[in-house]
Amino acid sequence: MADLEAAKINHDNHLLLDQPCLRLPYELLRNNFRSVHYPFEWDSNAVKNAVKETANGLISGKTSAQDAVKSLDQMLGKMRGLKRKLAAAAEEEDRLYRQMDARVAHLRELANLNTVDDVKYEAWSRQRLDRLLVDYMLRHGYGSSAVALADERGMRDLVDIDTFATMSKIRQSLEKGSVQEALSWCNENKKELRKMQSNLEFMLRCQQYIEMMRTGSQTKMIDAINHAKKYITPFNDTYPVEVSHMAGLLAYRPDTKIEPYASLYSASRWQKLAETFSEAYLKLLNLPMTPLLHIALSSGLSALKTPACHSTPSSVQAQPEPEQSQHHINGANDGGDSATPTATPDAAAAQPQHHGTASLTTRICPVCSTELNELARSVRYAHHSKSRLLEHDLVLLPNGRVYGKARLEEYAAKSGLPQWQVKDLVTGEVFGVDGVRKVYVT
């Protein structure tokens, strides 16, 4: 029964990881509507007013026929430009709806699966892993590799290549020392950034001011003062300390060693600006700051991690008895007296002196593997309110391994051993029953 429950798919937990997959198209649809809503309202009102003025002018005789024709030509030009904007927005909307349909169908496949033993689940989980890999590569600047993988797997509509390509383009421009593209993006999303209380635009304006001051030119310094009056001074109530630092920068040259002005002139500020932009961009679209691959990997490592996974070989070998593990397994002798705390199978497997090789643990436990051990070091231990996998009659063998007593007796009988002996299911070692100790789980 426990195995059936463990194999059952928890759809709610799966959807926690896949929320951004569904949420992003809705956010992009909202942004797409907003990008054309105000221009449409503005241009349509302007055309209506122009038509009204032209008609009134013709009726009153104040407007000649030639002026009326010119006015109509201007109105037609505005309407053609508005039509192009609406056509581009309609194409973007169709693309986003196509993405939504593909992603809903992808998640519907999961809803039709009940257990991880279903043959279709492996194919579905493989596709999700590919999505997570594409997400990781897009976030870290491997755009061409991400596109190649998405095209190879035929899942363009399941990943957000265009969204992250835009972010990567603006981020790279900041790393190269240009704020123009980032400021244009801030202007397009000014209202949302204000609601988020983001300081991105303020930092970009400050960087413009710093670059003007860096030149040391008298003309540029005058421009910098005018720039500060227009873009920096209005933030005095919100960022008083930063504004005072900008004012103090007038007295210091780029080669100063005095803080905080030396840091303000530092080239590392461009990298900080790039990181601030990335955070604002992802937050605006309700995307997590951490790659989804890291979230999934951390969850899996946390569920498997025990203190034994990071025990050093020297510390394990120095103990005459196996150490106590995260599972709080305590051993006692047959007489009921308390004994030295004992270890889980993972801790026992980490003791090479019993089996002649230290690679057994790394083959069994992913957390102990060479590739993931260091990565899992900072991952928290999972909270287990109860264990479904522990047998009720656990016993500890002299080699530190823990098994169910019934399983050991059944295996010993199949191996033709006498009743006073048991055999390790993994290593094949034979022990007397007088050396087996009862294990209590607390």
Side-chain angles (χ1 to χ4, degrees):
M1 182 63 68
D3 291 340
L4 291 176
E5 291 183 4
K8 187 177 180 180
I9 296 176
N10 189 323
H11 297 90
D12 292 340
N13 288 343
H14 277 70
L15 291 178
L16 287 176
L17 186 63
D18 291 315
Q19 282 186 20
C21 182
L22 282 178
R23 181 186 298 150
L24 184 59
Y26 287 99
E27 294 293 336
L28 295 177
L29 277 171
R30 185 172 62 85
N31 292 344
N32 184 61
F33 173 79
R34 189 180 68 249
S35 67
V36 296
H37 174 68
Y38 294 110
F40 175 79
E41 293 290 337
W42 180 269
D43 290 344
S44 60
N45 289 333
V47 170
K48 290 177 183 178
N49 293 333
V51 170
K52 185 177 180 180
E53 291 177 1
T54 302
N56 291 336
L58 287 173
I59 294 173
S60 63
K62 295 180 180 180
T63 303
S64 64
Q66 292 180 346
D67 292 338
V69 170
K70 290 180 181 179
S71 179
L72 289 174
D73 289 339
Q74 292 176 356
M75 287 185 283
L76 287 174
K78 287 184 178 181
M79 295 305 294
R80 290 191 186 98
L82 181 59
K83 181 181 178 180
R84 286 192 294 269
K85 292 180 182 178
L86 292 175
E91 291 179 2
E92 177 68 7
E93 189 174 276
D94 291 340
R95 184 184 71 84
L96 292 173
Y97 279 128
R98 186 173 64 252
Q99 279 192 353
M100 291 170 57
D101 291 340
R103 296 179 187 201
V104 170
H106 173 64
L107 295 179
R108 189 184 295 119
E109 293 178 8
L110 175 65
N112 295 330
L113 302 175
N114 296 317
T115 66
V116 296
D117 297 328
D118 194 314
V119 293
K120 295 182 180 179
Y121 178 76
E122 182 178 356
W124 187 90
S125 59
R126 169 58 64 178
Q127 188 175 44
R128 181 173 68 174
L129 176 58
D130 291 336
R131 285 198 297 107
L132 300 184
L133 290 173
V134 171
D135 174 82
Y136 178 86
M137 288 188 287
L138 288 173
R139 288 171 179 265
H140 289 78
Y142 303 106
S144 57
S145 298
V147 172
L149 178 58
D151 290 341
E152 181 182 347
R153 298 290 191 264
M155 56 179 191
R156 274 279 191 136
D157 290 333
L158 299 180
V159 292
D160 309 303
I161 293 176
D162 294 337
T163 300
F164 283 101
T166 301
M167 185 185 78
S168 179
K169 179 181 178 182
I170 300 177
R171 182 186 174 102
Q172 290 176 5
S173 69
L174 286 171
E175 292 174 345
K176 293 178 180 178
S178 173
V179 300
Q180 297 305 320
E181 294 189 16
L183 283 174
S184 298
W185 181 83
C186 289
N187 187 55
E188 294 172 1
N189 301 276
K190 182 176 295 185
K191 186 177 179 180
E192 285 68 27
L193 291 174
R194 190 182 299 115
K195 289 180 180 179
M196 290 165 43
Q197 297 182 347
S198 173
N199 66 341
L200 175 60
E201 184 177 359
F202 173 74
M203 292 183 64
L204 293 172
R205 295 299 184 184
C206 288
Q207 192 63 36
Q208 283 183 308
Y209 172 82
I210 292 170
E211 296 305 314
M212 293 178 190
M213 294 296 300
R214 192 191 303 276
T215 62
S217 169
Q218 190 69 23
T219 304
K220 285 291 185 180
M221 292 181 69
I222 295 175
D223 292 341
I225 294 173
N226 294 330
H227 175 87
K229 289 179 180 179
K230 183 176 181 180
Y231 296 110
I232 298 178
T233 304
F235 289 95
N236 187 50
D237 294 336
T238 309
Y239 308 109
V241 177
E242 290 80 359
V243 172
S244 65
H245 289 166
M246 292 298 110
L249 203 66
L250 288 168
Y252 296 92
R253 302 278 73 83
D255 57 352
T256 182
K257 303 297 182 182
I258 300 176
E259 293 294 345
Y261 308 106
S263 298
L264 293 176
Y265 280 119
S266 174
S268 62
R269 277 183 58 87
W270 288 107
Q271 183 63 33
K272 184 179 179 181
L273 282 174
E275 294 172 358
T276 303
F277 163 75
S278 297
E279 292 176 4
Y281 188 90
L282 294 174
K283 187 176 180 180
L284 183 67
L285 296 176
N286 284 318
L287 293 175
M289 304 297 178
T290 306
L292 297 177
L293 182 64
H294 285 183
I295 297 175
L297 192 58
S298 297
S299 300
L301 293 176
S302 178
L304 299 173
K305 182 181 177 182
T306 68
C309 296
H310 292 97
S311 299
T312 59
S314 59
S315 63
V316 175
Q317 294 178 6
Q319 298 292 335
E321 295 289 338
E323 297 178 349
Q324 183 181 6
S325 76
Q326 177 68 16
H327 298 298
H328 305 291
I329 299 180
N330 300 322
N333 56 22
D334 292 338
D337 298 332
S338 61
T340 305
T342 59
T344 60
D346 283 339
Q351 303 181 47
Q353 65 270 28
H354 292 302
H355 314 300
T357 177
S359 62
L360 180 61
T361 300
T362 59
R363 293 199 305 269
I364 297 175
C365 176
V367 181
C368 296
S369 66
T370 305
E371 296 82 4
L372 299 178
N373 186 257
E374 190 61 31
L375 180 63
R377 187 176 296 276
S378 59
V379 175
R380 295 183 178 183
Y381 297 104
H383 173 69
H384 300 283
S385 58
K386 62 180 181 178
S387 176
R388 302 174 182 174
L389 304 178
L390 291 179
E391 300 175 64
H392 70 281
D393 56 349
L394 293 176
V395 294
L396 175 71
L397 298 181
N399 65 355
R401 289 184 168 272
V402 178
Y403 300 100
K405 183 178 180 181
R407 278 208 301 157
L408 284 176
E409 292 176 348
E410 181 182 359
Y411 188 58
K414 290 182 179 180
S415 302
L417 298 177
Q419 294 182 354
W420 60 85
Q421 288 184 334
V422 292
K423 187 175 183 179
D424 191 306
L425 278 69
V426 175
T427 65
E429 297 174 90
V430 178
F431 304 98
V433 294
D434 54 346
V436 177
R437 294 187 295 175
K438 180 69 176 178
V439 172
Y440 299 94
V441 181
T442 59

